[in-house]
């Protein structure tokens, strides 16, 4: 203790009034290729494919062929989104079509690996639905196949182009808040709609299939600074799902920390809040759901509130494919490359292993999705 007078406002954690300042103009909107207009083939036309197709139609991209194990589902999708597309009886015909440049694989992970490999070997660029693979070594092998055949392999990590996540990521990349010190996301919503669906068979549904978006967000900001994670999960009282709807993760990172809270059993008052602290400022987004978010950037100059355009569904899907198309056009590695996405999966797999083992797990230690 000292005799120096105490600043009671600071001691009581009171905030000061801040000046309103103009928000920086950041490239957060889904990227669009300048002139490249490939023909796209889609393999798998299940529920999520509607978001892909709607986004591609809005962007003006041609989907030339569709395949699904149940042909009638592919025909329904074609009739609604791309009437001129052919509907094939075998996925191999989509891959073998010389007029198709890009293959969008939307199947579940356990079915997509041989299709991705065949498409890459046929010289097609590939966008894989997330989560990319269930085995990091298998993922690295597919990345090598793409490199060997001179094509690009990207992952539909669509949350990267949700307006609020995209704006915050670009603000960090532009140095608006200095070095990242912490990332904290708290999501409260009702995921009970998955009860009785195939999702209810997914082990660690919330940490794996849903939480991967936020593990990806942390990795996109902290990169190689991510070290390890400790995670837990719990069954919510009264939940109908077979799998836990509550989960949380504490991430260790060099010179910082991150926390993710997933309350997937909140039937009323949904809320999504993300806070990113840096050495020169902070970012916060909040709103009643993932599609309705406001963002604020606070620095020594004041507080900036950008007017965001778009929504996660379906701008996120347009962003994932658009980034791949731009990378092909520019001859560069896409921001959502499969190679880069392996760091996201390494953190997600470590979180699941931590939940099951009850210990802190280093990112990359769990080489495959734990059983």
């Amino acid at each position: 203790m000292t005799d120096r007078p105490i600043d009671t406002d600071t001691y009581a954690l009171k905030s000061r009034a801040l000046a309103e300042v103009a928000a920086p103009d950041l490239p957060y909107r889904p990227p669009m290729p300048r002139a490249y207009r490939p023909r796209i083939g889609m393999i798998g036309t299940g529920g999520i494919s509607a978001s892909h197709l709607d986004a591609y139609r809005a962007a003006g991209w041609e989907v030339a062929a569709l395949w699904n194990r149940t042909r009638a589902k592919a025909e329904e999708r074609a009739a609604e989104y791309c009437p001129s597309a052919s509907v094939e009886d075998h996925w191999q015909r989509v891959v073998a079509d010389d007029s198709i440049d890009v293959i969008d694989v939307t199947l579940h992970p356990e079915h997509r690996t041989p299709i991705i490999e065949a498409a890459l070997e046929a010289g097609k660029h590939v966008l894989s639905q997330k989560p990319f693979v269930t085995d990091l070594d298998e993922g690295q092998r597919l990345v090598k196949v793409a490199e060997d055949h001179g094509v690009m392999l990207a992952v539909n990590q669509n949350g990267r182009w949700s307006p609020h996540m995209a704006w915050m990521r670009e603000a960090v990349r532009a140095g608006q808040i200095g070095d990242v010190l912490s990332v904290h996301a708290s999501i409260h919503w009702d995921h009970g709609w998955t009860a009785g669906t195939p999702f209810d068979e997914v082990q660690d549904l919330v940490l794996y299939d849903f939480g991967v978006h936020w593990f990806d967000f942390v990795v996109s900001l902290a990169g190689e600074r991510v070290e390890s994670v400790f995670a837990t999960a719990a069954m919510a009282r009264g939940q109908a799902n077979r799998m836990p709807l509550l989960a949380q993760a504490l991430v260790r990172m060099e010179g910082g920390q991150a926390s993710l809270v997933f309350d997937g059993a909140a039937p009323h008052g949904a809320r999504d809040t993300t806070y990113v602290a840096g050495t020169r400022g902070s970012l916060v987004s909040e709103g009643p759901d993932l599609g309705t978010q406001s963002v604020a950037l606070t620095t020594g100059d004041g507080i900036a509130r950008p007017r965001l355009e778009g929504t996660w569904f379906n701008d996120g899907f347009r962003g994932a494919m658009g980034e791949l198309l731009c990378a092909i056009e520019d001859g560069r590695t896409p921001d959502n490359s499969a190679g880069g996405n392996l760091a996201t999966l390494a953190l997600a797999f470590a979180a699941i292993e931590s939940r099951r083992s009850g210990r802190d797990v280093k990112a990359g230690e769990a080489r495959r999705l734990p059983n």
Side-chain angles (χ1 to χ4, degrees):
M1 300 293 291
T2 69
D3 294 329
R4 187 173 60 187
I6 294 175
D7 180 344
T8 55
D9 283 348
T10 300
Y11 191 74
L13 304 180
K14 291 184 178 180
S15 62
R16 293 184 173 89
L18 296 171
E20 295 281 340
V21 297
D25 184 16
L26 299 173
Y28 74 97
R29 298 289 286 133
M32 285 286 290
R34 297 179 302 278
Y36 183 51
R37 295 295 184 269
R39 285 164 57 85
I40 299 170
M42 175 174 284
I43 297 179
T45 60
I48 199 63
S49 68
S51 296
H52 293 237
L53 292 168
D54 185 57
Y56 304 165
R57 179 176 61 183
W61 301 327
E62 180 186 3
V63 176
L66 301 171
W67 174 86
N68 194 70
R69 183 176 56 183
T70 303
R71 181 183 174 92
K73 290 184 178 179
E75 291 174 340
E76 289 175 8
R77 290 286 190 251
E80 183 173 2
Y81 296 103
C82 45
S84 62
S86 65
V87 175
E88 302 295 346
D89 290 320
H90 305 284
W91 62 261
Q92 291 89 343
R93 294 195 58 169
V94 181
V95 169
D97 188 338
D98 290 337
S99 72
I100 290 177
D101 308 286
V102 177
I103 302 290
D104 184 8
V105 183
T106 72
L107 301 171
H108 292 294
E110 60 269 25
H111 303 304
R112 72 169 75 112
T113 296
I115 295 174
I116 291 174
E117 185 169 9
L120 296 173
E121 290 177 343
K124 312 295 187 185
H125 305 288
V126 174
L127 179 69
S128 168
Q129 177 61 11
K130 65 85 193 165
F132 169 40
V133 289
T134 58
D135 184 303
L136 297 181
D137 296 328
E138 184 73 357
Q140 288 181 330
R141 189 182 69 79
L142 289 175
V143 169
K144 180 67 162 52
V145 172
E147 292 173 349
D148 289 345
H149 288 81
V151 291
M152 296 190 185
L153 174 58
V155 179
N156 187 12
Q157 202 69 59
N158 48 78
R160 286 203 174 197
W161 285 276
S162 60
H164 64 293
M165 285 188 179
W167 202 92
M168 287 190 287
R169 184 183 69 248
E170 293 302 325
V172 170
R173 289 180 173 177
Q176 294 290 329
I177 66 168
D179 294 330
V180 172
L181 300 175
S182 62
V183 183
H184 302 291
S186 181
I187 304 100
H188 317 273
W189 82 109
D190 186 1
H191 212 57
W193 65 269
T194 57
T197 73
F199 286 105
D200 208 12
E201 303 299 320
V202 178
Q203 292 287 335
D204 290 284
L205 171 65
V206 170
L207 281 174
Y208 174 56
D209 186 75
F210 185 81
V212 71
H213 291 294
W214 284 268
F215 289 122
D216 186 68
F217 184 63
V218 171
V219 169
S220 74
L221 300 185
E224 295 181 354
R225 293 172 58 194
V226 171
E227 296 176 344
S228 64
V229 58
F230 179 80
T232 63
M235 300 287 285
R237 180 174 294 183
Q239 74 168 64
N241 293 67
R242 295 179 62 250
M243 302 302 169
L245 293 182
L246 307 178
Q248 55 191 338
L250 298 176
V251 179
R252 297 179 188 270
M253 44 190 269
E254 184 276 318
Q257 63 180 2
S259 67
L260 306 175
V261 175
F262 304 110
D263 286 338
H268 307 289
R271 197 74 185 169
D272 174 15
T273 302
T274 302
Y275 186 90
V276 182
T279 54
R280 294 176 46 211
S282 66
L283 292 154
V284 63
S285 73
E286 55 185 346
D289 55 55
L290 298 176
T292 311
Q293 291 281 301
S294 60
V295 174
L297 163 66
T298 303
T299 65
D301 295 329
I303 185 166
R305 306 180 193 275
R307 290 181 175 271
L308 300 183
E309 298 177 349
T311 58
W312 184 331
F313 281 65
N314 290 326
D315 284 349
F317 296 84
R318 182 154 58 96
M321 177 60 83
E323 173 61 15
L324 173 59
L325 300 187
C326 287
I328 296 169
E329 184 176 55
D330 297 339
R332 59 173 176 79
T333 302
D335 188 56
N336 54 338
S337 72
N341 190 247
L342 292 177
T344 291
L345 291 181
L347 182 57
F349 292 174
I352 295 167
E353 175 61 28
S354 173
R355 195 282 298 169
R356 300 183 184 189
S357 66
R359 63 182 178 85
D360 189 80
V361 177
K362 291 183 179 179
E365 177 181 333
R367 299 303 300 171
R368 60 189 56 84
L369 183 67
N371 295 320

